[in-house]
Amino acid sequence: MAFPFYWMLATSLKSPQEAQQSQPIWVPERLKPANWGVAARLGAQGGSALWGGFGVGQTVTLRIFTGEVGPPPQVSIPVAVGAFSDPRAEGTLIRTRYAEGYWEVSFTNRSSESFRLLPVVVRISKSYPRYQPELPPDAVRSSGEDWRLEWVNVAPGSLGYVFHNYREAWHAAPFGRYFFNSFFTAGTQVLVGLLLAAMAAFALARIEFPGKGLVWLLILATLMIPGEVLLIPNYILLSKLGWLNTYYALIVPWLASVFGIFLLRQFYLSLPSDLFDAARIDGASYWIQLVRIALPLSVPGLVTYGIFTFLGAYNALIWPLIVTDRPEIYTIQRGLQVFIGEAGSDYGALMAASTLSILPIVLGYFFAQRQFIQGVARSGIK
């Protein structure tokens, strides 16, 4: 359990080349404190020692230690459309000079606006046996007689360097909207699902009516139907109702839960019958018995069911993938697909966004841990 979690966290801090290497990299370059000071100095030259940037008229100087004079490095700003290019950086003034054992490459922002990233490509001759850039490049490739060194940002700042993937992931898609959609759909499913499950479970546990056993068996039998079997019928029904790309499509099909009915029924059966008999003698209706007796005494079960429902709705991917194709209605898990395209996957940004997406779940578990354990223990769930 700890290893996959560490792999996700480590990958969220890796450069694109580190994330794609088959050989495991346990400590990414961005986690090494020796690089943080350099990133802070370059960021301060661009505008901010913490978050970097490239302000108007600012000059950022990158050193590449070679120890000897040789062919000068060829420096360029990538202009191809992609994740690591910025059209605003194309007018950057580039100067190179040799000074006491290193090549100094200066970048000056001559445009009229500031921007966040300064991507750079440096081609340096392979005749340099021990070249050493002061800031490790994000990718190193062989290109004929040269080494091609690539930086996604040479003015990162200390925090901008470490959390580069997190910042870029946040800017790559409207994750604020995705989080709202996920919390709204999951929260609605929890609240309405709790109400429906509590009423059904109370009726099956504490109210006598003809055919009660048969109804209970039919409800239990639906547990044997795989959820995938219902995807196509549900999609056709929602399509005919015109609910595709709406919150109704994300919420309504999953409001009634057989698992919730089963869980809460077990709780209600464990409560002393004398409580309900006394309430009936006092004239309490079934609704009053549910609200004033059953629900307050079944809080651990309600919390457990709420957590399971929230997790299921929050982490759902297949159903949102089927019924939504408009970004404004995407949930957080559906939104993670933006990092997977025909050209490949941006694993660093994908893992950064995935880490952000699970934070609410982890925090919620720690806050409700005691109720969750009590609920699982009392219901007999293993």
Side-chain angles (χ1 to χ4, degrees):
M1 183 65 184
F3 174 76
F5 191 65
Y6 173 77
W7 183 88
M8 183 178 70
L9 288 178
T11 305
S12 71
L13 300 174
K14 291 178 181 176
S15 66
Q17 192 177 53
E18 289 178 328
Q20 294 177 353
Q21 284 188 353
S22 57
Q23 183 177 359
I25 296 177
W26 302 104
V27 183
E29 290 292 337
R30 289 174 180 158
L31 272 183
K32 297 179 180 177
N35 298 325
W36 298 348
V38 179
R41 182 183 66 78
L42 294 171
Q45 292 179 352
S48 169
L50 292 180
W51 293 104
F54 200 29
V56 177
Q58 300 290 330
T59 297
V60 176
T61 303
L62 176 69
R63 300 189 185 99
I64 303 176
F65 296 93
T66 57
E68 57 181 310
V69 182
Q74 304 299 313
V75 185
S76 61
I77 304 294
V79 297
V81 177
F84 305 119
S85 64
D86 191 332
R88 295 171 298 182
E90 294 178 9
T92 299
L93 175 63
I94 302 173
R95 290 169 294 189
T96 60
R97 74 181 185 92
Y98 184 79
E100 299 180 358
Y102 60 85
W103 284 97
E104 186 178 84
V105 185
S106 300
F107 307 90
T108 302
N109 185 358
R110 297 187 301 179
S111 69
S112 59
E113 58 181 332
S114 301
F115 41 91
R116 193 175 66 253
L117 301 179
L118 177 58
V120 169
V121 173
V122 175
R123 297 167 67 96
I124 190 167
S125 173
K126 291 181 179 178
S127 62
Y128 290 111
R130 292 186 296 275
Y131 73 90
Q132 182 63 49
E134 61 176 339
L135 185 68
D138 296 305
V140 179
R141 312 178 197 279
S142 178
S143 178
E145 300 298 323
D146 299 327
W147 292 109
R148 177 186 169 95
L149 315 181
E150 300 176 2
W151 286 267
V152 296
N153 186 16
V154 295
S158 55
L159 295 180
Y161 179 67
V162 176
F163 299 107
H164 170 82
N165 288 326
Y166 287 86
R167 187 170 63 174
E168 296 312 305
W170 187 261
H171 285 91
F175 276 96
R177 179 72 181 183
Y178 297 165
F179 272 112
F180 170 79
N181 291 337
S182 289
F183 279 106
F184 178 72
T185 55
T188 304
Q189 286 187 39
V190 170
L191 294 178
V192 180
L194 277 175
L195 178 63
L196 296 177
M199 290 191 297
F202 183 81
L204 292 169
R206 292 296 174 184
I207 300 176
E208 297 298 330
F209 56 88
K212 175 180 172 181
L214 179 60
V215 171
W216 175 235
L217 287 176
L218 290 175
I219 292 176
L220 280 182
T222 60
L223 283 173
M224 303 177 188
I225 302 175
E228 290 77 7
V229 175
L230 304 176
L231 292 179
I232 294 178
N234 281 340
Y235 177 83
I236 294 174
L237 176 60
L238 295 179
S239 177
K240 291 184 180 298
L241 291 173
W243 284 4
L244 298 182
N245 286 308
T246 66
Y247 290 118
Y248 298 121
L250 294 171
I251 296 172
V252 173
W254 312 107
L255 289 179
S257 169
V258 177
F259 168 74
I261 296 173
F262 171 80
L263 180 69
L264 294 179
R265 178 180 176 272
Q266 299 304 108
F267 266 86
Y268 296 152
L269 288 176
S270 67
L271 299 177
S273 299
D274 294 344
L275 291 175
F276 299 96
D277 294 339
R280 278 196 293 271
I281 292 173
D282 291 338
S285 64
Y286 288 127
W287 179 253
I288 296 297
Q289 294 176 44
L290 171 65
V291 173
R292 295 190 178 182
I293 299 176
L295 290 182
L297 293 176
S298 60
V299 170
L302 297 172
V303 172
T304 302
Y305 171 62
I307 291 175
F308 277 120
T309 303
F310 186 87
L311 289 177
Y314 187 84
N315 291 323
L317 173 60
I318 295 178
W319 185 245
L321 200 61
I322 293 174
V323 298
T324 61
D325 59 9
R326 295 207 323 250
E328 58 268 28
I329 204 70
Y330 282 0
T331 59
I332 186 69
Q333 306 300 337
R334 176 73 169 88
L336 294 179
Q337 302 296 309
V338 301
F339 300 106
I340 303 174
E342 296 179 356
S345 301
D346 185 353
Y347 291 109
L350 177 60
M351 292 300 106
S354 299
T355 303
L356 292 175
S357 72
I358 68 171
L359 280 181
I361 300 298
V362 175
L363 294 176
Y365 173 77
F366 281 113
F367 279 116
Q369 184 180 17
R370 185 170 63 88
Q371 299 286 353
F372 179 74
I373 293 175
Q374 288 181 359
V376 171
R378 291 187 58 181
S379 63
I381 298 175
K382 301 295 183 184

